Amino acid sequence: MNTTPEYLHFDDLDDWDEDDVVLVEIISNEIGNVRTHYPNRQSGPQPIEEAFDEAHRFLTNDPNIHRIGVFIHPEAQWAPMWGVLIKRKQSLESKPFKI
């Protein structure tokens, strides 16, 4: 069983329009921000590990959230230890998943 988390990769924040996706916005290699459409909220800057933990809590506790997405600012880089990025177009063809 694969336990590596998988995240939808958004190339542009404007592409994130799904209500069932909680988004981790990676501001820098150490700082993240968690966003949801409903309710429309942002966590504010926090350490990356805490941002991913918060997103996973949304996924676990909110029945309307089915996936976690990621947007990476140009100043930041994805660290493979965080999980696997899945291109959004690939994921739209598959069924929603819970991590």
Side-chain angles (χ1 to χ4, degrees), residues 63 67 77 79 81 96:
R67 299 171 284 191
Q77 292 183 343
M81 68 181 179

Side-chain angles (χ1 to χ4, degrees), residues 30-43:
E30 298 175 4
I31 302 295
N33 178 30
V34 179
R35 295 172 170 239
T36 61
H37 274 296
Y38 184 81
N40 185 6
R41 68 172 290 279
Q42 293 187 43
S43 66

Side-chain angles (χ1 to χ4, degrees), residues 28-86:
S28 73
N29 292 344
E30 298 175 4
I31 302 295
N33 178 30
V34 179
R35 295 172 170 239
T36 61
H37 274 296
Y38 184 81
N40 185 6
R41 68 172 290 279
Q42 293 187 43
S43 66
Q46 60 183 313
I48 286 288
E49 293 80 11
E50 291 178 23
F52 279 113
D53 287 347
E54 182 177 348
H56 280 275
R57 281 193 300 276
F58 265 102
L59 185 66
T60 301
N61 298 324
D62 187 333
N64 300 310
I65 300 293
H66 297 184
R67 299 171 284 191
I68 298 174
V70 170
F71 171 74
I72 305 168
H73 282 261
E75 309 80 45
Q77 292 183 343
W78 181 255
M81 68 181 179
W82 296 333
V84 175
L85 290 177
I86 301 201

